[in-house]
Amino acid sequence: MGWAAWVAVAVLALDQLSKWIVVQLLNLKQVQAIDVLDPWLNLRMAWNQGVNFGLFSSDVEVMRLVLIAVALVICVWVAVWLVRVRPGRLAQIAAGLLIGGALGNVIDRMVYGAVADFLNMSLPDWRNPYSFNIADIAIFAGAIGLVLQPGPSSGAAGGKGKPAGKAGKPRTAAAKPKNDKTRDGARKTR
């Protein structure tokens, strides 16, 4: 199992465990608010039927199914990309963050009908009206990580050939015989 799979499983487990603790054990669904380090960190229950900041929010069942489908399609698309491209460790970690977070929110939509958001961070003179969860953090970090990942190096699958010669023409060289011990492959030393 690669880095992406391990990270996705870890994020999914941490997200679902945190939601179970906060929503069920601390009963935030009934209490609605718990001050932890007010105003810096508070628990504020919010049922998000949309995406970030409640965008595309709707109580229509079709919209919930559309958001589940979109999240699953993105997860499959990223997983296929991982198999085809075989990116480096950081890109795999970013992909795992995105997949694990997306699957965590999909589970919420299927179990609760909406995403359970409960983390709220504010400042002394400013109250943040939005809540979020661990899955949201992972999705955001994963997306940023994938966008900012370095492109393929010249030796990677996308840049296989040899460096171009003068005027952009590719260099051509005769095939080096198996037993040729010379430096240039043309049976002569320099």
Side-chain angles (χ1 to χ4, degrees):
M1 187 157 36
W3 281 97
W6 284 112
V7 170
V9 168
V11 166
L12 180 60
L14 183 62
D15 175 66
Q16 290 300 301
L17 178 64
S18 70
K19 288 172 182 172
W20 180 80
I21 289 170
V22 171
V23 175
Q24 305 298 328
L25 202 61
L26 296 177
N27 198 24
L28 194 64
K29 63 184 174 184
Q30 296 298 322
V31 177
Q32 290 295 306
I34 298 173
D35 292 337
V36 179
L37 294 170
D38 193 40
W40 309 102
L41 176 64
N42 299 299
L43 303 178
R44 302 280 186 262
M45 192 69 234
W47 295 104
N48 187 352
Q49 294 177 324
V51 293
N52 285 1
F53 306 115
L55 294 173
F56 307 117
S57 185
S58 172
D59 59 357
V60 178
E61 180 69 10
V62 172
M63 192 59 178
R64 181 179 75 90
L65 297 174
V66 166
L67 291 174
I68 289 171
V70 167
L72 292 175
V73 166
I74 290 171
C75 288
V76 169
W77 180 63
V78 171
V80 168
W81 173 79
L82 284 167
V83 170
R84 287 187 177 169
V85 174
R86 301 214 184 272
R89 184 180 302 167
L90 291 177
Q92 289 181 41
I93 291 169
L97 287 169
L98 191 139
I99 291 171
L103 291 177
N105 284 346
V106 163
I107 290 171
D108 284 8
R109 289 184 199 287
M110 291 169 46
V111 172
Y112 301 119
V115 175
D117 288 340
F118 56 87
L119 294 170
N120 176 272
M121 300 177 85
S122 298
L123 298 172
D125 293 329
W126 175 76
R127 287 289 178 176
N128 179 6
Y130 300 106
S131 293
F132 54 94
N133 60 42
I134 291 173
D136 296 338
I137 297 167
I139 292 167
F140 183 78
I144 293 296
L146 289 174
V147 167
L148 297 179
Q149 77 163 332
S153 63
S154 60
K160 278 185 180 172
K162 295 180 177 154
K166 293 181 182 178
K169 295 179 184 174
R171 293 182 185 173
T172 56
K176 184 176 177 179
K178 286 184 181 181
N179 296 332
D180 188 1
K181 305 278 189 233
T182 60
R183 292 176 19 206
D184 67 359
R187 296 189 180 261
K188 53 184 169 177
T189 58
R190 292 182 191 190

